[in-house]
Amino acid sequence: MEASFVRVVCMQASVLTEVLLPLALAFVMFGMGLTLTLADFARLLKAPKAVITGFIGQIILLPMLALGLCFVFGLPDYIAVGVMVLAACPGGTTSNLISHIAKANLALSVSLTAISTIACVFSTPFIIQFALDYFVKENAPDFSIIQTVIGLVGISIVPVILGMTIRRFNSRFATKTESFFRQFSMYFMLLMIVGVLVSERNNLAASFESAFLVCLTLNLSSVLLGLGLAKLSNLAFKDSLTLAIEIGVQNAALAMLICITFLDAPDYAIAPGVYGVAMYIGPALLALWAKRKMRNEQPSVSLQKTESV
């Protein structure tokens, strides 16, 4: 009786982690595809400096920043790997929503999300493998780069292409359902965060302080990284906001899914779960600063117009 109960529980857990969660995330990525057009990818040719700067910041510099913070904070292995998985993931639709609210360059935000989503399918598995080899070593869970690439293509690239195709031939449907998919994405991430934090509450209680501090520091540092890169590249103010948001807001839901499903290590998902809450702090402070900056600049602009008259 007890053995059969255990088998049922394991089977239910397997269905949840190997079928339902990937399908739900694929549904989210399909919704993101409905918001994209080929013009979002073509923008790389029209505004290459902003896109390339953001791409380098997100794909190369962000994982390096995360690795440095893992050293500084002396994190437990499972938190360190979770931080690296998170940093290896692209931005999601949440970054586009925050860019819209902050009145940043939404077109650039969408383009960076689209391009980083494709790039991370191939870069993320190698970063994960490095993190496992460095932090966990001989006790690392089974991990296949090839299988992970195939899995990421299946739950991200294919649904995005399908969504873009439907938008191309039925833009009315895409526009009408955009709000639904955005809300579904938000609720899905929140449910995953709650599920991970509840199921791993013992590990969370033992490492919450270090997990929250490193996630908050990563978020604030990545926002500053985006602003710094934009400054070095001499980008416009709206583009600077966009880069800060794109580099500072990661797809925490995808990071949690990788930890739970591909690595079969729910404790690794603690850091992405905590980051899913902490990642709004940096962009919120950024939006307040941007709003104040633009408000202070308006009187000087008005004064210049008056003097010219």
Side-chain angles (χ1 to χ4, degrees):
M1 181 70 178
E2 183 177 346
S4 63
F5 175 75
V6 171
R7 283 197 297 270
V8 170
V9 171
C10 291
M11 185 174 67
Q12 289 176 340
S14 178
V15 170
L16 175 65
T17 59
E18 296 180 13
V19 180
L20 296 182
L21 289 182
L23 279 177
L25 185 60
F27 193 61
V28 170
M29 300 305 290
F30 170 74
M32 188 176 84
L34 290 175
T35 68
L36 299 175
T37 65
L38 289 177
D40 297 318
F41 294 91
R43 196 168 287 110
L44 174 62
L45 302 176
K46 297 179 181 178
K49 185 164 68 170
V51 175
I52 291 173
T53 301
F55 182 84
I56 292 173
Q58 191 162 36
I59 304 299
I60 300 175
L61 298 182
L62 180 60
M64 293 175 64
L65 173 63
L67 181 61
L69 291 177
C70 290
F71 292 148
V72 171
F73 282 87
L75 300 173
D77 294 349
Y78 63 96
I79 298 294
V81 174
V83 169
M84 294 303 298
V85 172
L86 175 75
C89 288
T93 53
T94 303
S95 64
N96 304 149
L97 177 60
I98 294 176
S99 292
H100 175 68
I101 294 172
K103 296 182 179 179
N105 187 336
L106 183 58
L108 176 60
S109 174
V110 172
S111 298
L112 284 171
T113 297
I115 294 168
S116 66
T117 297
I118 293 176
C120 283
V121 165
F122 304 99
S123 63
T124 297
F126 289 96
I127 295 174
I128 295 172
Q129 185 67 70
F130 166 79
L132 291 174
D133 291 342
Y134 189 87
F135 292 106
V136 187
K137 299 181 177 65
E138 67 275 1
N139 295 322
D142 292 335
F143 179 73
S144 168
I145 290 178
I146 295 177
Q147 288 181 1
T148 303
V149 169
I150 295 173
L152 289 176
V153 168
I155 64 175
S156 58
I157 303 300
V158 172
V160 165
I161 292 175
L162 182 59
M164 291 178 64
T165 303
I166 291 178
R167 180 183 176 91
R168 171 68 178 82
F169 295 101
N170 193 345
S171 59
R172 184 179 178 184
F173 170 79
T175 304
K176 285 180 63 176
T177 58
E178 183 176 340
S179 176
F180 166 77
F181 280 103
R182 185 169 287 162
Q183 291 181 19
F184 178 84
S185 175
M186 184 66 66
Y187 289 131
F188 172 64
M189 187 179 72
L190 289 175
L191 284 174
M192 284 198 71
I193 291 172
V194 171
V196 166
L197 298 185
V198 169
S199 65
E200 296 298 320
R201 56 188 177 275
N202 292 331
N203 285 329
L204 178 64
S207 57
F208 176 78
E209 184 177 353
S210 60
F212 181 77
L213 285 176
V214 72
C215 287
L216 179 59
T217 305
L218 178 62
N219 180 244
L220 297 177
S221 301
S222 57
V223 167
L224 292 175
L225 173 63
L227 291 176
L229 289 174
K231 183 74 172 177
L232 289 174
S233 301
N234 198 28
L235 298 181
F237 182 66
K238 279 195 170 186
D239 292 349
S240 301
L241 290 179
T242 307
L243 259 63
I245 292 169
E246 283 295 317
I247 297 175
V249 177
Q250 302 309 111
N251 193 337
L254 177 59
M256 286 185 282
L257 180 74
I258 290 173
C259 294
I260 295 171
T261 301
F262 294 161
L263 296 176
D264 192 22
D267 53 336
Y268 290 1
I270 290 176
V274 173
Y275 194 86
V277 177
M279 71 180 180
Y280 296 100
I281 298 175
L285 294 174
L286 179 70
L288 291 174
W289 170 74
K291 185 176 181 181
R292 182 176 180 180
K293 180 179 174 64
M294 287 186 286
R295 187 170 60 241
N296 291 338
E297 288 179 350
Q298 284 178 351
S300 61
V301 173
S302 301
L303 182 60
Q304 290 176 3
K305 289 182 179 180
T306 303
E307 290 175 350
S308 63
V309 173

